[in-house]
Amino acid sequence: MFRWPTHPQESALFTAATTQLLAASGEGGGFQPPSISDFFPPPILFAGTPFEFNRIQLVRLLVTAVVVTVFVVGARRAKLVPGRGQNILELVLDFVRVNIAEEILGTEKAKKYVSLLTTIFVAILALNLAGVVPGLNIAGTSVIGLPIVLAAWVFVMYLGAGIRAHGLGGFLRTSLFPPGVPPYMYVLLTPIEFLTVFVIRPATLAIRLVANMISGHLMLVLVISATEFFLVEAGPALKAYGLVTFGAALALTLFEAFIAALQAYIFVVLAAVYLNLSIQEEH
Amino acid sequence: MIATVLTGTVLAADGEGSVLVPAVSELIWSVVFVAIIGFAFYRYALPGFQKVLDERTARIEGGIEKAETVQAEADAALARYTKELNEARAEAARIREEARVEGNAIVADLRAKAQEEANRILETGLRQIEAERQQVMVTLRADVGVLATQLASKIVGESLDDEVRQSRVVDRFLDELEASTAVSTKGK
């Protein structure tokens, strides 16, 4: 999430860096720094309609096609004795089912929500990984729309699960009036709980994911375009820096792949936790 | 300055998009892609894998069950064979014991019969001897009288002609003879 720099020096440093970046981006050639406009590319199709189709959507379309093809074909070809490809897919499915769903919700309750968690996990993982795939170079989750849709799906599911488990009144009572608290504390607690359940949980799910992907993309583009600048355009004295930034690009690519998996995992774990909070019995 | 830059990008920047507020097209396409992935997963991918998973579980459980059945059968067979073996051993021991008892009985029986036969033969012998002795005594008694009379007549000669004397002499002789016979019988 965004944190405003509060320390004066830190703030100054940040401002200086940003100004330089912004200034550099203003020039035509030379160093091409990453900018927030990377996430809002010009439309390719349907410009001016609500169906504006830009590069981000193209990346998402490709990832969706790959994920759907791999998993549907994989499921169709799935055999009793798995081959190598099936083993990898089953590894992913088992990971979500055993290490996330059953771990958090318990074996019995997990059955109902394994499909939801698996779908979301695979979708986020694949869209995140697009950020380190050469040619795509941007995560499908790095623009807020898709994280919002996924978070909204989880939001609706955990509200529905809670209402189904306790009834509408029961769900509101258990979520907004946590038991075991002196009644006058509800003046303080109930608004907080309301915010938590109805705003903060879905909002943080979406924002955490999109912020991680945005920052990852900015870092990667920074080191990659710096490498290009140092090696191609900068004077001979600066070319050595290119090696440094190239090494950093390699390391950051691996790091971003890790972050892609980690963010998918965090999103799904939190979704499972929220579901569990909704359906668990009153204590 | 930084604040305005970031606020501009975070909330609705003109021309460019906002980091946190999605454009309409962005939302629409996001829904489309999530719906495609969700549909494919819920309708095809996950049930397909679930089916294989269930099948595998069933197969493994079936295998375990079969192994248990076979194991139980083997245990039952072993128990049956052990029982039959013990029964056969007991039967053999019983038969041996019976044969031993029967053999003893046969030997005792034969011994008793032989003893009886021997007794019978001995008794027959004794009875025959007794009978022969009686016969000899009867014969002797008849012959001894005649012989003695003849002998006495030869010794006494004419003196025994008259009836009275003869009769007296014979009676006396017989008495003596009887006494001597009794003595000799007693002595025997």
Side-chain angles (χ1 to χ4, degrees), chain B residues 97-116:
Chain B
E97 182 64 18
E98 271 180 13
R100 204 172 58 77
V101 169
E102 208 168 316
N104 285 350
I106 288 168
V107 168
D109 196 28
L110 286 178
R111 189 174 290 155
K113 271 186 188 158
Q115 188 64 46
E116 200 178 301

Side-chain angles (χ1 to χ4, degrees), chain A residues 1-186:
Chain A
M1 285 185 59
F2 292 103
R3 190 172 63 86
W4 303 109
T6 45
H7 196 271
Q9 279 181 348
E10 195 184 348
S11 180
L13 206 74
F14 192 43
T15 313
T18 319
T19 328
Q20 269 187 353
L21 290 184
L22 291 176
S25 74
E27 298 164 12
F31 180 51
Q32 288 285 328
S35 98
I36 216 76
S37 63
D38 288 2
F39 304 100
F40 307 100
I44 305 171
L45 290 169
F46 316 123
T49 71
F51 299 97
E52 247 182 37
F53 194 88
N54 57 26
R55 192 172 176 279
I56 307 286
Q57 317 302 358
L58 185 63
V59 169
R60 286 174 181 167
L61 180 66
L62 285 174
V63 172
T64 302
V66 169
V67 165
V68 166
T69 309
V70 166
F71 272 84
V72 169
V73 171
R76 192 148 295 172
R77 287 194 191 157
K79 294 188 194 72
L80 217 54
V81 180
R84 197 174 291 170
Q86 192 185 340
N87 261 332
I88 293 171
L89 294 185
E90 285 191 4
L91 196 72
V92 175
L93 299 181
D94 275 3
F95 173 73
V96 177
R97 196 185 68 239
V98 177
N99 293 10
I100 299 177
E102 292 182 355
E103 185 88 352
I104 292 171
L105 291 159
T107 314
E108 264 317 298
K109 292 176 187 166
K111 279 179 190 155
K112 243 162 129 183
Y113 301 106
V114 167
S115 299
L116 172 75
L117 299 176
T118 309
T119 308
I120 290 181
F121 179 79
V122 174
I124 294 180
L125 180 63
L127 288 165
N128 283 358
L129 284 175
V132 292
V133 173
L136 302 179
N137 280 336
I138 193 155
T141 42
S142 60
V143 184
I144 191 72
L146 208 130
I148 283 181
V149 171
L150 291 173
W153 190 6
V154 172
F155 178 65
V156 169
M157 287 301 283
Y158 79 67
L159 288 187
I163 291 169
R164 209 177 313 147
H166 305 294
L168 181 59
F171 173 62
L172 289 178
R173 197 176 62 246
T174 48
S175 342
L176 301 185
F177 300 92
V181 175
Y184 57 85
M185 284 298 285
Y186 287 134

